[in-house]
Amino acid sequence: MKIIKNYIGGQLISPVLDEYLDNVDPSRGIVYSKIPDSTTDDVEKAVQAAEKAYEGWSNTPKEARGAIMIKIADIIESRMNEFAAAESLDNGKPVKLAMQVDIPRAVSNLKFFATAIQHFASESHYMEGLGVNYTTRKPIGIVGCISPWNLPLYLFTWKIAPALAAGNCVVAKPSEVTPMTAFMLSEVCKEAGLPEGVLNIVHGLGHKVGDAITKHPKIKAISFTGGTATGKTIATIAAPMFKKLSLELGGKNPNIIFADCDFEDALSTTMRSSFANQGQICLCGSRIFIERPIYEKFKAAFVAKTAESKVSYPSDPEAKLGAVVSKPHMEKVLSYIELAKEEGGTVLTGGEQVKLEGEYANGYYLRPTIIEGLTFDCRTNQEEIFGPVVTITPFDTEEEVLMMANSTEYGLASTVWTSNLKRAHRVADHLHTGIVWVNAWLVRDLRTPFGGMKSSGVGREGGFEALRFFTEAKNVFIKS
Ligand code: NAD
């Protein structure tokens, strides 16, 4: 059984207390590796290692920092199959998805920020007759990065890459539910020659390791992606310490389909935006609003396609959906389906667990589920489910659908389907979300600001926004 180790001060080491947690393969429902159950002492060691490394790393020319990051990316790329298989085993997602999305994106994150930092300029402001201001943007120091289980290496590198590129030293914690590819990344960092202590990866539970990172006085900024409740806990601790905070939290995203849309495009993309990664992407559109003239036609086609979607073990090349991430998560999703029925909803397709055969008989598989007949303000339509469950609701006017779309506490992303250009602009303008896709979903340019409004988060990641977050601005005025 593979025993995962912490990566501290450039070494792969056991946790101080030598205690471990089980790491479960969700496709089979069995324990397949062990992960450090680290504590405050391990975080302390990581902070000390980062402190020691900071002087050297922050003064390393950005070209050299970028070159090491590119080397890390190249090694991951050369081991693509191995990383994709590991991600799939840890998370339950189809191997094909990890090959097409997760690992290539992790590679892109590293390459993108390794090069973006070379173009990151700071400002100067000339004052006529008085002098000039110039602004420096230096690394913050030691920063904390905490990430979730749904896109493990993808989101882990999305935080670590800009932090390292900007010259910070990092104490990072991947999700305890999916630690494997972060562990593999630590092996790659050693191989690529990343100086000791620049990146430290401490494995373990949120309320132990995550909490210790959040509370550590020498960690000056926290970049967190995860649930809204956890984000609130982190903010409560970190805000009075005046730490910089970037919080990427939950979502309950609307997918608005007008009658004048390209029907086939809207249908096939809605299949992905509803059920990709078993619906466990913060950007999935879980509330689908369909304009009444095409409601019945869209519903029939969507239900038929969904019922045909193959739920299977992750290495099945035909699998459209793999396993959801854990037993408690599967139970949570099933409890929301029960809630939807209690609230008067009708399950049009799905709504149940899928039992596979043989070695996969104890895996956590769910049939993709479509529910109709619910009010826009019921709990099912307001709370994040984060699984392969969507609701469909008809609408008659633009005002009505905007009111329903904007009715939740969340404001991460939305999707709009229409061929009317003016309407596309108007609706995009009135949606209370940080991201709007028109006639598309999950098209990502890493230069764009990424993040949510309302309870979906604070701050923006991506491009120079991330580099600004991971640097401290200082303005210097010189009298002429
Ligand atoms: P989670 O909040 O339970 O955990 C996220 C991370 O925080 C994990 O590493 C966990 O160990 C850690 N953590 C837990 N308690 C902590 C504490 N008290 N202090 C510090 N760290 C703590 O979230 P999850 O279940 O892993 O992920 C699913 C959630 O993430 C969903 O709500 C989803 O919408 C959200 N998410 C958001 C985005 C985004 O970009 N906005 C992207 C992906 C996922």
Side-chain angles (χ1 to χ4, degrees), residues 262-272 298 301-303 305 417:
D262 176 331
F263 188 90
E264 287 309 320
D265 197 6
L267 179 63
S268 61
T269 308
T270 294
M271 289 299 299
R272 285 195 303 118
F298 192 92
F302 184 41
V303 168
K305 257 184 177 299
W417 291 94

Side-chain angles (χ1 to χ4, degrees), residues 145-151 154-155 158-159 173-178 204-214 222 224-231 233-234 237 247-253 280-283 325 329 332 384-386 410 412 435 450-452 456-457 461:
C145 298
I146 303 174
S147 59
W149 49 256
N150 62 325
L151 298 165
Y154 173 138
L155 289 173
W158 180 236
K159 300 183 169 305
K173 190 196 102 56
S175 170
E176 64 276 24
V177 186
T178 53
L205 298 169
H207 70 270
K208 291 187 184 175
V209 179
D211 184 65
I213 291 174
T214 308
I222 305 282
F224 168 80
T225 299
T228 294
T230 315
T233 305
I234 290 175
I237 296 164
L247 303 174
E248 300 293 340
L249 311 176
K252 188 75 181 174
N253 309 309
Q280 303 165 137
I281 301 181
C282 55
L283 305 164
V325 78
H329 191 60
K332 176 192 148 181
E384 185 183 45
I385 300 174
F386 213 56
Y410 297 107
L412 187 53
I435 300 152
F450 179 92
S456 289
E461 297 184 336

Side-chain angles (χ1 to χ4, degrees), residues 184-385:
M184 291 166 69
L185 172 69
S186 51
E187 294 173 322
V188 171
C189 289
K190 271 174 79 83
E191 188 183 335
L194 184 71
E196 290 177 3
V198 167
L199 171 64
N200 304 278
I201 301 175
V202 187
H203 293 273
L205 298 169
H207 70 270
K208 291 187 184 175
V209 179
D211 184 65
I213 291 174
T214 308
K215 285 184 175 151
H216 203 293
K218 288 187 175 161
I219 297 181
K220 299 293 181 196
I222 305 282
S223 174
F224 168 80
T225 299
T228 294
T230 315
K232 197 179 270 185
T233 305
I234 290 175
T236 309
I237 296 164
M241 297 174 83
F242 307 116
K243 294 192 183 201
K244 258 182 135 175
L245 274 178
S246 172
L247 303 174
E248 300 293 340
L249 311 176
K252 188 75 181 174
N253 309 309
N255 174 6
I256 303 172
I257 304 171
F258 285 96
D260 64 0
C261 68
D262 176 331
F263 188 90
E264 287 309 320
D265 197 6
L267 179 63
S268 61
T269 308
T270 294
M271 289 299 299
R272 285 195 303 118
S273 66
S274 303
F275 304 124
N277 204 37
Q278 299 70 247
Q280 303 165 137
I281 301 181
C282 55
L283 305 164
C284 279
S286 53
R287 294 178 298 145
I288 306 173
F289 299 105
I290 307 159
E291 205 173 8
R292 193 149 338 247
I294 62 161
Y295 183 80
E296 289 302 330
K297 183 180 167 199
F298 192 92
K299 169 178 144 182
F302 184 41
V303 168
K305 257 184 177 299
T306 302
E308 278 169 14
S309 278
K310 188 170 183 191
V311 180
S312 188
Y313 55 95
S315 58
D316 180 350
E318 303 296 313
K320 289 275 188 259
L321 289 90
V324 298
V325 78
S326 67
K327 191 157 189 254
H329 191 60
M330 178 177 73
E331 283 162 0
K332 176 192 148 181
V333 175
L334 284 169
S335 77
Y336 268 103
I337 295 170
E338 286 312 306
L339 174 70
K341 290 183 201 159
E342 282 163 26
E343 290 184 319
T346 306
V347 174
L348 299 175
T349 182
E352 70 210 351
Q353 214 185 322
V354 179
K355 284 278 178 197
L356 299 186
E357 306 273 292
E359 61 178 312
Y360 299 102
N362 294 320
Y364 315 131
Y365 298 91
L366 288 174
R367 184 100 39 222
T369 301
I370 305 173
I371 302 168
E372 77 166 349
L374 290 167
T375 58
F376 75 92
D377 56 354
C378 68
R379 279 185 57 203
T380 310
N381 268 329
Q382 294 288 315
E383 297 176 15
E384 185 183 45
I385 300 174

